[in-house]
Every structure is written in C-alpha cells, then in structure tokens.
Amino acid sequence: GQSLEQPSEVTAVEGAIVQINCTYQTSGFNGLFWYQQHAGEAPTFLSYNVLDGLEEKGRFSSFLSRSKGYSYLLLKELQMKDSASYLCAVIDSNYQLIWGAGTKLIIKP
Amino acid sequence: DAGITQSPRHKVTETGTPVTLRCHQTENHRYMYWYRQDPGHGLRLIHYSYGVKDTDKGEVSDGYSVSRSKTEDFLLTLESATSSQTSVYFCAISEGTGDTGELFFGEGSRLTVL
C-alpha cells in the first residue's frame, strides 16, 4: 500500500527553527507538496518539490530526497502565527495525491 | 485568492436524510475535488472531476455521488446520510495535475449527522 508518515505533533519556541519531516512509500513519484492549515480553516499551498534539494521561500524551506523517500519543511524565525498543522502530499505514478495525516506545530513563547 | 466557495458552511441533519453540498468556482479551473477530513486521517478523496460531466471515484466514494453540469459547479450528494459521514468536507480546484496540480481549497463544510 501507499503511505506517508509525519509526526503527529511538534513543539518549538518562538524565534527558533523547526523541522517537520515527511517520509513516503508510494507507487511512483511525481512531486511533493506542503500545505499549511490553521485550525478551522482550509489548507493553503506552501511549496512544491519534484527534484532533489532545498527550495527556499523566505522563512520557509522544503527539502526533498527522492532516493530516501523523504522530505522536510524547515521553518525559521518562528512566529506565533506559524502555529498550524502542516500537511505533506505526494503525487503518485497515476497523478493521484496521497496525503499524510498532518503535523500539528505548537509554538511556545 | 482563488474564487471558490462552498455551501452550506455548516449543516446538522438526521440519519437517513439526503444532503447536498455545493462547490462553486470562478477560476475556470478544469479539475475539481471533494475531500473529507477527519481527526487522525489525512485528507481523503471522495470524488473528483476533470471536466463537465466527467467524474471519477476517489478512495472513499461509497455512500457519495457527485455531479458537474457546469464548469463552475461541483455538487456532492449523500443520498442517505449516516453518522460515519459526520466530517468536514473540503472542495478543491486545480488547473492541472503534477506541477500544475496546486490545489486551492474552499472554506470547508462542517456536516454533523445525528
């Protein structure tokens, strides 16, 4: 079967750096998305990776290793507004999106 | 922000009653999706559409049907609601798949089946 694994919860301190991991086992790979979802709201797009390496977008970066079936989202200079769930999703060989269950990020002052 | 709206945003209904959720987009995107989101689960695809009158099942399609008679509207129907269908339902749209597959989500519809 296909699976994506993410930690259910991560805690970090305001101003610090945090890494949220996603490992996947899917039939084929055609890209990986990260979305942010605040409580009670809809998911919103953060990043898309299809090649190995690090993509940087301001305070947020996303890394991909296709050979290891692994990605992480790196958030720098954490702010309280970054408290949210972070969802990873992989596009498989049939161009279907497979979703992880999400990681809840808790930020402490 | 993508123009995508869902209605109703909240609904409480009784077991056995029919329910229809509506998704409306103003972006003219080809693909439309219905997902459900439950605690401890990722987003799970119910049905999707790749054009007018072109729809296909997702991983959790049992008990649900959809229709897309116009590009802008995608309806999700629960013919006879059950308590297991209590969930938050998200509609999403995208221009394409793969690297054009970025999803834009509606605000969600919270359905409670008593």
Side-chain angles (χ1 to χ4, degrees):
Chain A
Q2 306 200 93
S3 67
L4 268 74
E5 298 293 329
Q6 301 180 239
S8 58
E9 194 173 285
V10 170
T11 301
V13 177
E14 189 177 16
I17 300 172
V18 72
Q19 179 175 310
I20 298 173
N21 298 322
C22 174
T23 57
Y24 62 89
Q25 285 188 305
T26 56
S27 57
F29 177 86
N30 282 299
L32 184 144
F33 289 99
W34 282 96
Y35 285 81
Q36 180 190 58
Q37 185 177 25
H38 286 102
E41 297 183 8
T44 55
F45 170 81
L46 284 177
S47 66
Y48 172 74
N49 294 71
V50 67
L51 299 176
D52 290 349
L54 188 69
E55 297 268 349
E56 297 188 65
K57 259 191 197 181
R59 295 190 298 115
F60 290 24
S61 303
S62 55
F63 172 83
L64 174 66
S65 169
R66 288 173 295 171
S67 63
K68 295 182 179 177
Y70 169 68
S71 174
Y72 66 74
L73 184 67
L74 194 70
L75 292 75
K76 302 176 185 175
E77 301 168 14
L78 282 172
Q79 302 174 11
M80 297 305 292
K81 68 177 182 179
D82 298 329
S83 296
S85 289
Y86 291 85
L87 317 178
C88 70
V90 167
I91 308 169
D92 71 8
S93 57
N94 294 318
Y95 289 90
Q96 300 295 314
L97 260 182
I98 312 300
W99 292 86
T103 298
K104 184 176 181 180
L105 175 61
I106 298 169
I107 300 175
K108 297 186 174 180
Chain B
D1 289 342
I4 176 169
T5 55
Q6 293 182 226
S7 60
R9 296 289 313 281
H10 300 272
K11 186 171 182 66
V12 180
T13 192
E14 301 274 334
T15 296
T17 60
V19 176
T20 295
L21 305 180
R22 179 179 184 242
C23 179
H24 178 78
Q25 61 148 329
T26 57
E27 303 298 318
N28 202 35
H29 282 1
R30 178 182 176 190
Y31 293 86
M32 299 186 76
Y33 309 82
W34 276 109
Y35 284 94
R36 60 178 290 173
Q37 187 175 42
D38 304 288
H41 292 272
L43 287 161
R44 292 184 289 175
L45 182 65
I46 304 170
H47 282 278
Y48 67 100
S49 168
Y50 44 95
V52 173
K53 297 189 179 177
D54 290 324
T55 65
D56 208 347
K57 296 179 179 180
E59 63 176 303
V60 290
S61 59
D62 287 349
Y64 302 94
S65 62
V66 290
S67 67
R68 191 170 178 196
S69 57
K70 296 185 289 185
T71 298
E72 57 266 35
D73 289 325
F74 193 33
L75 304 181
L76 176 71
T77 297
L78 293 66
E79 300 290 346
S80 178
T82 67
S83 59
S84 64
Q85 293 175 313
T86 292
S87 187
V88 179
Y89 292 85
F90 285 102
C91 176
I93 61 174
S94 69
E95 285 187 90
T97 59
D99 60 356
T100 59
E102 176 187 342
L103 293 178
F104 300 93
F105 287 85
E107 317 97 308
S109 296
R110 183 175 293 276
L111 176 66
T112 302
V113 184
L114 302 176

